[in-house]
Amino acid sequence: MKLTTILVAASCLTVQAFGVTPNTSLTKKTSTTNPALVSALRKKGPATTSALFRDAALTRGGAVPGWNAYNDALDKNPLTAKACTSAVGFFLGDLLAQLFIVKSTLDIKRLVTLSVFGFIYHGPSGHYFYNWLDSKIEGTDGKSVATKVFIDQVFWCPIFMTVFFTYLGLANGDSFGAIGNKIKSDLFTAMQGSWKIWPVVHAVNFKFISTKHRLVFINGVQIVFNMFLSLLGSK
């Protein structure tokens, strides 16, 4: 229950950051004023309803250092940018799990293994999957959002979890028989954990977050869920 509360709270805070809308009355005024006034507004004036991500036309770089550079990377090299995003998400998830839940000597091999998984599979597969899903089911109405959540959790979730356990088994040098047994014993448990959290998170995701930012939103929330995955995968 605590994990669910944390993830839902993180989801709400993250969507508040991403789901910004320009202050049209202010932007219309600035478009007809002189450059000196616009320059002053860039330093002083809030441009959007979000205090976290501001309109770059009024607050250069926003309130998050590197946000503009990150968006440029998403536009120019989306696959690499999302792979790196997921690598950081899995790194932080496992690091926090080891430091605050396991509370033992830091397992560098496990940390690197999970970070690599984020880089080579979670980020790239998420890039292609969510781009495909958004292209096939457009819109943010209730039916479209519910359909996307259903496809994600009923079809994509078991595929992702199976790849996750297979990857960890191969990284640990396990036999295919042992990997198969691991999947049989833990796949449904992992999916149950997902079903308690991600339908709500993805309802927010598909309703309010753009395709471009889906992976960074997911990773922002998933850091906590990755703690659960890293513990489950290391059993």
Side-chain angles (χ1 to χ4, degrees), residues 40-178:
L41 285 171
R42 284 179 179 170
K43 296 179 181 178
K44 299 179 182 179
T48 68
T49 58
S50 170
L52 182 57
F53 299 128
R54 302 183 188 279
D55 189 338
L58 297 176
T59 307
R60 186 171 182 177
V64 177
W67 181 243
N68 281 348
Y70 178 72
N71 275 284
D72 287 341
L74 285 175
D75 291 332
K76 296 175 182 177
N77 300 291
L79 192 61
T80 302
K82 292 174 184 179
C84 291
T85 300
S86 291
V88 172
F90 273 81
F91 174 85
L92 291 177
D94 186 57
L95 180 65
L96 293 173
Q98 292 195 48
L99 291 178
F100 298 108
I101 299 178
V102 178
K103 296 181 180 179
S104 62
T105 304
L106 190 64
D107 187 340
I108 301 298
K109 179 184 176 182
R110 172 178 141 179
L111 191 62
V112 172
T113 298
L114 286 165
S115 300
V116 170
F117 176 79
F119 183 81
I120 66 173
Y121 182 75
H122 183 268
S125 66
H127 167 72
Y128 288 114
F129 173 69
Y130 290 114
N131 281 2
W132 172 82
L133 189 61
D134 287 335
S135 70
K136 298 300 181 182
I137 306 173
E138 299 180 351
T140 58
D141 58 282
K143 181 180 179 181
S144 297
V145 170
T147 303
K148 289 181 181 181
V149 171
F150 178 82
I151 292 173
D152 181 273
Q153 290 300 295
V154 175
F155 296 102
W156 181 244
C157 178
I159 294 173
F160 173 82
M161 294 298 183
T162 299
V163 174
F164 177 74
F165 289 128
T166 301
Y167 167 82
L168 289 184
L170 293 174
N172 291 329
D174 297 337
S175 66
F176 286 104

Side-chain angles (χ1 to χ4, degrees), residues 13-25:
L13 289 173
T14 308
V15 75
Q16 184 182 16
F18 283 91
V20 299
T21 55
N23 187 331
T24 54
S25 62

